[in-house]
Amino acid sequence: GDSVTQMEGPVTLSEEAFLTINCTYTATGYPSLFWYVQYPGEGLQLLLKATKADDKGSNKGFEATYRKETTSFHLEKGSVQVSDSAVYFCALAYSGAGSYQLTFGKGTKLSVIP
Amino acid sequence: NAGVTQTPKFRILKIGQSMTLQCTQDMNHNYMYWYRQDPGMGLKLIYYSVGAGITDKGEVPNGYNVSRSTTEDFPLRLELAAPSQTSVYFCASSPRAGLAGGPSYNEQFFGPGTRLTVL
C-alpha cells in the first residue's frame, strides 16, 4: 500500500539555520503531496502542496519540490525562526471522483532555539 | 467562519464508559474525517464521510462508530472505552473535488483536537 517515510526527529536548530526535513513516499499511482504543520496545542494546517511531478510548493519561506524520479518531497527553509518550532507532517493523497484520504508520515518535531 | 470545532477539549474516561466526541464544520464541506494521533506517530484515519448519510471505515475503525445526519456534524462514538483508545482525536473536513479538467487536490481543515485518556 501507499506509505510516507519522514526523517526521524526531533530536530533542534539555532535561529537562522538552514532546515531540511526529508520525506519519501511509496505510491501505486501519481499522488498529490503535502506538508502539514502542527503548532503546539493546535490541529494540523496545510503548509504547502504539489500536485504533479516537478511542481514546487512554497509558503512562509518553506519550499518542497515533487521529485518523481526519487519519490521525494523534502521540506526546506533557508533561515528558520523560533516561531517555526512545530511538528511537520508529510502526506500524500489521490485526487479524483472518490474520497480524499490523506496518508501521513509519522511527523518530525522541529525545535528552533534563539 | 469558525472552521472545524471539536468538543470537548479534554476528557478522562474509565474503562467501559462510553462517550461521543463532537465535530462541527461551517464551511459546507462534503468530506469529513476522524483521525487519532498517538505519541510519536502520524495520524491514522478512523472513519470518514463523503456526505450526509454516507460513512466508511478508515484504517483503525474498531471500537468506534460514526454517523453523518447533516453536512455540518460528524460525531464519533466510543461505546466501551479501553486504555488503547487513549489518544488525541482530530476531526477534519475538505471540500468536493474541483471541476473536471481543473486542479484537484485535497486540503483538509483540522479542528483543534480532543485529548482523551482512558484509565
Side-chain angles (χ1 to χ4, degrees):
Chain A
D2 301 334
S3 64
V4 175
T5 302
Q6 290 180 234
M7 65 185 285
E8 295 283 330
V11 174
T12 302
L13 295 174
S14 298
E15 209 165 19
E16 300 184 1
F18 184 86
L19 168 71
T20 300
I21 300 178
N22 290 338
C23 171
T24 57
Y25 68 90
T26 302
T28 52
Y30 301 99
S32 296
L33 300 174
F34 308 84
W35 277 100
Y36 278 79
V37 59
Q38 184 180 27
Y39 297 105
E42 298 183 10
L44 281 71
Q45 54 187 274
L46 181 66
L47 179 61
L48 54 83
K49 60 184 180 292
T51 58
K52 62 183 187 297
D54 300 325
D55 269 1
K56 177 185 282 189
S58 60
N59 186 25
K60 300 181 180 180
F62 291 89
E63 293 184 339
T65 301
Y66 189 162
R67 302 285 187 200
K68 182 181 166 188
E69 62 277 10
T70 55
T71 61
S72 65
F73 192 54
H74 305 322
L75 182 68
E76 296 182 337
K77 187 174 185 182
S79 176
V80 294
Q81 305 300 312
V82 173
S83 57
D84 294 326
S85 297
V87 181
Y88 293 81
F89 292 91
C90 186
L92 66 81
Y94 293 98
S95 301
S99 66
Y100 292 79
Q101 297 177 56
L102 285 165
T103 298
F104 287 92
K106 292 185 178 181
T108 301
K109 184 176 182 179
L110 170 66
S111 297
V112 180
I113 54 177
Chain B
N1 284 354
V4 180
T5 57
Q6 293 182 238
T7 56
K9 291 189 191 304
F10 304 94
R11 184 73 185 266
I12 298 175
L13 286 181
K14 294 182 180 177
I15 295 172
Q17 286 185 319
S18 62
M19 76 164 294
T20 299
L21 282 66
Q22 301 291 345
C23 174
T24 300
Q25 54 93 7
D26 62 359
M27 297 173 283
N28 201 32
H29 285 168
N30 296 92
Y31 299 97
M32 295 188 74
Y33 314 81
W34 274 106
Y35 294 92
R36 59 178 287 171
Q37 183 183 30
D38 298 323
M41 303 295 290
L43 278 69
K44 292 188 184 295
L45 183 66
I46 305 171
Y47 271 95
Y48 67 98
S49 168
V50 300
I54 306 170
T55 63
D56 209 346
K57 295 177 181 178
E59 184 181 357
V60 289
N62 291 344
Y64 307 94
N65 279 299
V66 294
S67 60
R68 184 99 181 269
S69 58
T70 66
T71 298
E72 295 78 19
D73 300 307
F74 190 42
L76 178 72
R77 179 85 178 161
L78 283 70
E79 291 293 349
L80 290 170
S84 60
Q85 294 178 305
T86 294
S87 190
V88 180
Y89 291 84
F90 289 101
C91 179
S93 70
S94 63
R96 189 187 292 275
L99 297 176
S104 180
Y105 53 82
N106 179 12
E107 176 177 357
Q108 293 189 10
F109 295 80
F110 285 78
T114 294
R115 184 175 294 275
L116 175 67
T117 302
V118 182
L119 300 174

